[in-house]
Amino acid sequence: VRIVYPLEGARFHIDPFLGEREQLSIRIEGAASPSPVRVFVDGRPVGTTRGSVALWRLAPGAHRAWVEAEGRASEPVSFEVD
């Protein structure tokens, strides 16, 4: 199981018109469907999906995301939000 988006080192900017409503689509591949995939950002669980996309509300700062499924964890992906 792995995160295919965002890419390592990606940089995002919060749209001032969307503010707190803006979300990042974390795209996942490699999990056997319909296995649940747990999504983590900065060590905190942000949700579970049975699909290939999970949403996370953008927050300023440096972040690390990873997913867990079927007893396996992905490599973490680091990204920044301005």
Side-chain angles (χ1 to χ4, degrees):
V1 63
R2 70 185 186 109
I3 293 175
V4 295
Y5 185 84
L7 299 175
E8 177 67 30
R11 190 170 202 118
F12 300 94
H13 303 279
I14 296 175
D15 183 323
F17 294 105
L18 295 176
E20 293 182 7
R21 296 182 316 237
E22 191 165 11
Q23 295 183 326
L24 174 66
S25 294
I26 298 173
R27 296 191 192 122
I28 305 153
E29 72 176 25
S33 185
S35 295
V37 178
R38 294 180 61 201
V39 181
F40 297 84
V41 176
D42 301 331
R44 296 182 187 129
V46 296
T48 300
T49 182
R50 291 187 184 274
S52 59
V53 176
L55 298 176
W56 175 72
R57 184 163 290 147
L58 288 178
H63 303 285
R64 286 172 53 102
W66 69 91
V67 294
E68 294 179 357
E70 302 162 349
R72 298 178 294 152
S74 71
E75 290 293 320
V77 173
S78 298
F79 60 94
E80 291 190 35
V81 179
D82 297 328

